């Protein structure tokens, strides 16, 4: 559909579609409490700015916006696998959902003075190389005073659907050495950098590359950022695993879509169904993975 057709069919006073780089399309949601921008490429939330505040989500200055490539920042949708593919290392990390164009399904205003956009993905929109299973994905983005993103996975086939997933949120922070991530105290954690397991003691602070997978946790995380004089709360539904990541300098240098010093201004707190929390859907079943992001000053 052309931009004009999209706006005619799905646009409202508060939902507008615009052309983006490389022929991509983005939607702007002008909510009562803030604004969000979503790329139809990957159904990726690119930004969320509550009224009068610093941006809540981080986006690399060197991110690519190219067909078939992941966008570095915002909220990547990782599905149907989180991390490396379990049996085929040649496949891209974090699945194919963030690499393809999704289609708008609905848009408008809803109850709590929120503005929403729903995007959908079906196997017909996925290149054959990924051998997509029978599925239906829906992503619903709601902007009110906070940002809610809900990924609903449906098994439209006749056999069980195994997958892992994450809403891989990149948060904008003042300085990685100043912040703390709370909410996971006492939770078992796999350090994926050295495959050791420990129990979290207190808040998470950062002084080196950090890549931690917490299991058995439905907890709300809180990013305490004294530099921006704010806290970002990351609540969730339908998830019992959380990933906390910062690449630090050496890994950032190895990533072409990540500027060398940008690691200082971002942290990922990822709402997942990963590790032991990977899921299996029976034929006809569905599951929703949801993150609710709010700020406190
Ligand atoms: O955040 C968890 C993680 O799996 C890290 O290990 C790191 O690879 C990150 O995701 C980014 O992955 P990407 O494929 O987007 O470069």
């Amino acid at each position: 559909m052309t931009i004009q057709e999209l706006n005619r069919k799905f646009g409202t006073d508060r939902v507008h579609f615009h052309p983006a780089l490389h022929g991509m399309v983005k939607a702007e949601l002008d909510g009562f409490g803030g604004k969000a921008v979503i790329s139809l490429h990957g159904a990726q939330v690119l930004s969320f700015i509550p009224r009068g505040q610093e941006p809540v989500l981080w986006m690399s200055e060197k991110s690519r916006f190219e067909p078939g490539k992941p966008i570095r920042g915002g909220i990547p949708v990782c599905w149907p696998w989180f991390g490396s593919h379990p049996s085929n290392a040649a496949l891209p990390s974090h699945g194919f959902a963030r690499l393809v164009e999704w289609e708008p399904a609905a848009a408008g205003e809803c109850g709590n003075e929120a503005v929403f956009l729903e995007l959908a993905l079906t196997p017909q929109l996925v290149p054959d190389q990924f051998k997509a299973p029978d599925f239906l994905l829906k992503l619903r983005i709601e902007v009110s005073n906070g940002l809610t993103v809900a990924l609903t996975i449906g098994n439209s086939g006749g056999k069980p659907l195994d997958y892992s997933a994450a809403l891989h949120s990149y948060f904008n922070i003042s300085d990685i050495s100043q912040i703390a991530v709370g909410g996971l105290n006492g939770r078992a954690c796999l350090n994926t950098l050295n495959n050791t397991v420990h129990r979290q003691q207190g808040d998470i602070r950062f002084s080196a590359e950090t890549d931690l997978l917490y299991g058995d946790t439905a907890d709300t995380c809180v990013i305490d950022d004294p530099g921006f004089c704010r806290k970002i709360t990351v609540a969730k539904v339908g998830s019992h695993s959380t990933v906390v990541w910062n690449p630090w300098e050496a890994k950032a240098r190895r990533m072409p879509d990540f500027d060398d010093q940008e690691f200082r201004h971002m942290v990922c707190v990822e709402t997942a169904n990963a590790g032991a929390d990977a899921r299996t859907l029976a034929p006809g079943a569905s599951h929703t993975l949801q993150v609710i992001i709010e700020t406190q000053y």
Side-chain angles (χ1 to χ4, degrees), residues 70 72 82-83 93-94 98 168 170 192 211 243-245 251 255 268 270:
R72 177 71 64 192
F82 178 80
S93 69
H94 293 323
R98 66 174 180 167
H168 191 301
Y170 285 78
T192 66
D211 197 343
V243 177
V244 177
W245 178 61
K251 179 155 187 172
M255 293 189 283
C268 284
E270 303 161 35

Side-chain angles (χ1 to χ4, degrees), residues 25-228:
V25 176
K26 64 184 178 182
E28 292 187 358
L29 274 57
D30 185 3
F32 297 87
K35 292 190 176 189
V37 179
I38 299 100
S39 174
L40 269 55
H41 177 71
Q44 195 150 333
V45 181
L46 304 179
S47 78
F48 170 53
I49 307 177
R51 290 213 187 291
Q53 297 182 24
E54 290 286 335
V56 172
L57 302 176
W58 175 85
M59 178 63 63
S60 173
E61 293 291 326
K62 296 182 75 175
S63 178
R64 294 172 295 210
F65 293 88
E66 297 168 27
K69 300 281 187 193
I71 295 170
R72 177 71 64 192
I75 306 180
V77 175
C78 304
W79 193 85
W81 61 87
F82 178 80
S84 304
H85 186 275
S87 61
N88 181 350
L91 289 171
S93 69
H94 293 323
F96 54 71
R98 66 174 180 167
L99 304 177
V100 296
E101 309 313 302
W102 292 47
E103 291 182 337
E109 298 178 30
C110 50
N112 50 349
E113 289 201 326
V115 184
F116 78 93
L117 172 67
E118 275 186 12
L119 301 173
L121 187 69
T122 58
Q124 292 70 26
L125 297 171
V126 179
D128 293 342
Q129 72 201 54
F130 294 119
K131 298 185 176 56
D134 292 322
F135 73 90
L136 170 62
L137 290 191
K138 278 266 180 84
L139 192 80
R140 181 181 174 95
I141 304 103
E142 276 192 29
V143 178
S144 51
N145 290 323
L147 174 72
T148 298
V149 179
L151 175 68
T152 298
I153 303 101
N155 180 357
S156 56
K159 57 186 181 182
L161 173 58
D162 297 322
Y163 70 88
S164 54
L167 296 171
H168 191 301
S169 306
Y170 285 78
F171 292 98
N172 174 41
I173 55 165
S174 60
D175 182 330
I176 189 66
S177 62
Q178 303 296 315
I179 67 153
V181 173
L184 293 164
N185 183 39
R187 297 301 183 192
C189 167
L190 168 66
N191 182 337
T192 66
L193 298 174
N194 57 21
N195 277 326
T196 57
V197 177
H198 69 273
R199 226 164 252 291
Q200 183 60 37
Q201 303 291 322
D203 291 348
I204 306 162
R205 291 188 175 277
F206 303 81
S207 57
E209 182 180 355
T210 304
D211 197 343
L212 303 169
L213 168 59
Y214 292 84
D216 194 23
T217 166
D219 304 291
T220 295
C221 289
V222 181
I223 303 168
D224 189 348
D225 185 349
F228 282 162

